[in-house]
Amino acid sequence: GLSQEAEPYFRESARLYAGVIGKKHHLYGSAVHALSRNLVSQGRHQEAEPFLHEALWIEALKNGIHPTPCHAMLTELLDLHAAAALPQEALAKYHDLMRVMLMHLHCRGFAADGNGGIVMQAIAKVLLLSGPELARPALALLRKGLQLVEGHTEDVEDTSWIQLMIRLDMKD
């Protein structure tokens, strides 16, 4: 299909960005993220995972970090795990990345609002899937995330469904 036809262009884009601006630049991160999504759309989840990992690191380290792409990519990570493309033991390589992501979100002021709260929820889910020894820090993130989402007043959007989902995660 179209995804297969587009794949060489995504690969070429990533290759060109890597050569011209380097593998730490956010445009390269966007290119490997797009390649990851393309591979997932073809059902090639295991092949997509290293590109998602690379894109997440770049997003976590960039100066202009924002909760929206962080949450989107963490959700994609959870989807890869659900598709059996990422076993429990492989989640450990994301732990340092998520710690850095939280630290940078905090430094930019995003860990103090509802947007940061939903990132905390996604990170907590990854931690919970990583094993029972991480249940305590995951629960702490869920509690903090819920508090932030409950207090979120910047948007006119109703956050009650997000609050419900976090509460359900806390019961699991």
Side-chain angles (χ1 to χ4, degrees):
L2 291 177
S3 293
Q4 289 173 326
E5 290 177 32
E7 180 187 341
Y9 298 104
F10 286 116
R11 288 188 183 277
E12 181 67 3
S13 173
R15 186 188 70 73
L16 288 171
Y17 278 126
V20 175
I21 58 177
K23 290 187 171 187
K24 295 183 180 183
H25 196 279
H26 67 91
L27 291 175
Y28 172 76
S30 295
V32 292
H33 183 220
L35 175 57
S36 171
R37 292 178 63 199
N38 174 268
L39 293 168
V40 166
S41 73
Q42 296 179 55
R44 295 161 58 192
H45 299 89
Q46 288 179 331
E47 194 176 339
E49 186 274 328
F51 296 110
L52 178 61
H53 184 260
E54 194 170 9
L56 264 165
W57 262 117
I58 293 166
E59 186 63 36
L61 293 172
K62 77 179 190 182
N63 286 335
I65 190 170
H66 192 274
T68 302
C70 292
H71 182 261
M73 285 190 260
L74 287 166
T75 300
E76 292 168 27
L77 173 64
L78 291 165
D79 291 344
L80 286 178
H81 177 75
L86 191 63
Q88 177 182 354
E89 59 275 4
L91 292 171
K93 76 178 186 178
Y94 288 88
H95 295 173
D96 285 340
L97 182 157
M98 293 183 302
R99 189 175 306 112
V100 169
M101 181 182 289
L102 281 174
M103 182 178 64
H104 285 179
L105 286 169
H106 173 74
C107 290
R108 301 275 298 159
F110 287 120
D113 70 3
N115 294 311
I118 62 166
V119 172
M120 289 177 191
Q121 177 196 20
I123 289 173
K125 286 181 174 185
V126 174
L127 293 177
L128 288 169
L129 291 169
S130 297
E133 65 279 0
L134 295 173
R136 184 169 273 146
L139 185 57
L141 279 171
L142 287 169
R143 286 181 179 140
K144 179 66 175 173
L146 178 61
Q147 178 187 26
L148 292 172
V149 171
E150 286 174 337
H152 188 74
T153 58
E154 291 178 21
D155 303 322
V156 292
E157 194 159 328
D158 179 14
T159 63
S160 57
W161 69 273
I162 299 170
Q163 295 173 38
L164 175 63
M165 296 306 295
I166 295 174
R167 285 188 181 95
L168 288 172
D169 288 336
M170 291 170 67
K171 290 185 180 192
D172 288 344

